[in-house]
């Protein structure tokens, strides 16, 4: 029996998003929403998880879940391997999109812009704050590359663990942070009967302009 999806739907009635209540600066709204998501979302949803979409050399999109590790007016930061699929895609085409989904708040935020590598000092600082096990994992796992089997990865981890025995684990050169500098930030609040609120902020010559979009 195929799963019936056509009748699966929720009505969204928790909140609204009006121009009068929304800050002119999308960073303020992003900060408010992220904090509310952190306070409201229940495990297993992580309020700082998001989808990152990148595009490869052939123009094909690829999308995966990542964790946001910081934000400021400079941009939104995340970490991974520079030689991973996403790393290679970003090297070929820096345009990327992020989507946050906060189901307990019936909210979505979409962010679009260009991505650059974080300053190595900032990547070092974040790497140093990670657990030793995660640090060793970053060395042992050539992210996105094919593995013969699980034992191969376990073997590389054992080798890496021996290599750094009794010493601090430095950041691998091929692992680090990225910063997405938004040109667009769209805030979506679910409303009843699919007539949702959408406020779309776009950056023009350093100034954010805001428009309401039809749902
Ligand atoms: C909840 C969650 C959080 C994740 N966080 C990260 C992350 O912060 N960095 C990362 O490189 N991969 C993270 N991943 C794994 C990615 O989704 C993905 O498998 C990995 O980055 C390789 O993607 P790529 O082959 O497209 O480069 C996370 C996955 C999940 C489900």
């Amino acid at each position: 029996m195929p799963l019936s999806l056509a009748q699966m739907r929720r009505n969204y009635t928790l909140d609204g998003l009006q121009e009068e209540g929304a800050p002119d600066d999308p960073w303020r709204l992003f900060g408010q929403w992220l904090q509310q998501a952190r306070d409201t979302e229940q495990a297993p949803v992580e309020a700082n998880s998001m989808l990152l979409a990148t595009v490869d050399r052939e123009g094909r999109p690829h999308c995966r879940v990542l964790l946001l590790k910081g934000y400021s007016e400079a941009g939104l930061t995340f970490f991974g391997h520079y030689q991973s699929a996403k790393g290679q895609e970003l090297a070929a085409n820096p345009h990327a999109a992020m989507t946050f989904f906060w189901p307990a708040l019936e909210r979505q935020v979409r962010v679009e812009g260009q991505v650059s590598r974080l300053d190595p000092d900032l990547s070092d600082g974040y790497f140093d704050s990670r657990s030793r096990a995660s640090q060793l994992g970053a060395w042992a796992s050539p992210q996105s590359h094919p593995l013969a089997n699980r034992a191969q990865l376990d073997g590389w981890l054992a080798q890496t663990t021996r290599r750094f025995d009794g010493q601090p684990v430095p950041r691998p050169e091929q692992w680090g942070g990225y910063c997405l500098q938004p040109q667009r930030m769209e805030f979506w609040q679910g409303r009843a009967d699919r007539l949702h609120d959408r406020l779309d902020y776009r950056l023009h010559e350093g100034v954010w302009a805001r428009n309401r979009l039809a749902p």
Side-chain angles (χ1 to χ4, degrees):
M1 184 78 170
L3 193 59
S4 164
L5 302 176
Q7 298 310 315
M8 260 178 82
R9 60 175 68 93
R10 260 175 63 197
N11 205 25
Y12 303 125
T13 54
L14 280 181
D15 207 350
L17 178 60
Q18 301 302 336
E19 283 80 345
E20 308 81 64
D24 291 337
D25 177 1
W27 288 111
R28 274 189 55 209
L29 187 54
F30 183 75
Q32 286 168 11
W33 278 27
L34 184 61
Q35 185 161 357
Q36 287 165 355
R38 195 196 58 192
D39 296 343
T40 312
E41 293 295 346
Q42 304 277 328
V45 174
E46 292 175 283
N48 62 330
S49 62
M50 44 86 178
L51 285 160
L52 177 79
T54 50
V55 177
D56 67 22
R57 281 180 198 283
E58 283 78 44
R60 288 181 299 224
H62 303 273
C63 192
R64 78 288 285 160
V65 177
L66 300 180
L67 295 179
L68 182 75
K69 287 295 170 176
Y71 73 93
S72 70
E73 292 198 8
L76 300 119
T77 54
F78 55 93
F79 291 84
H81 279 261
Y82 291 141
Q83 298 305 321
S84 64
K86 72 182 125 7
Q88 296 188 32
E89 286 147 22
L90 288 168
N93 181 346
H95 295 275
M98 274 180 190
T99 301
F100 296 83
F101 175 42
W102 293 312
L105 295 166
E106 302 173 347
R107 287 177 177 166
Q108 168 184 247
V109 175
R110 294 168 55 181
V111 183
E112 295 165 10
Q114 294 211 31
V115 175
S116 52
R117 285 190 187 188
L118 265 196
D119 187 282
D121 290 346
L122 296 175
S123 290
D124 288 342
Y126 174 67
F127 189 81
D128 291 347
S129 77
R130 285 162 61 96
S131 69
R132 187 171 177 88
S134 303
Q135 292 174 338
L136 291 168
W139 278 93
S141 167
Q143 192 176 48
S144 313
H145 291 261
L147 288 172
N149 48 40
R150 177 80 202 189
Q152 188 173 37
L153 182 62
D154 294 342
W156 286 338
L157 180 62
Q159 256 176 32
T160 305
T161 306
R162 282 195 299 277
R163 173 174 169 195
F164 291 110
D165 188 31
Q167 312 164 41
V169 184
R171 176 176 66 86
E173 213 177 293
Q174 290 309 326
W175 187 99
Y178 287 100
C179 178
L180 185 150
Q181 269 190 295
Q183 287 292 318
R184 175 179 178 216
M185 297 173 84
E186 188 214 307
F187 297 81
W188 182 101
Q189 176 71 58
R191 298 290 305 270
D193 305 321
R194 299 302 186 255
L195 295 177
H196 315 299
D197 286 326
R198 299 178 65 189
L199 292 185
D200 184 37
Y201 292 76
R202 289 180 192 244
L203 191 61
H204 290 291
E205 294 170 1
V207 180
W208 288 100
R210 185 177 69 194
N211 280 299
R212 176 171 286 269
L213 301 179

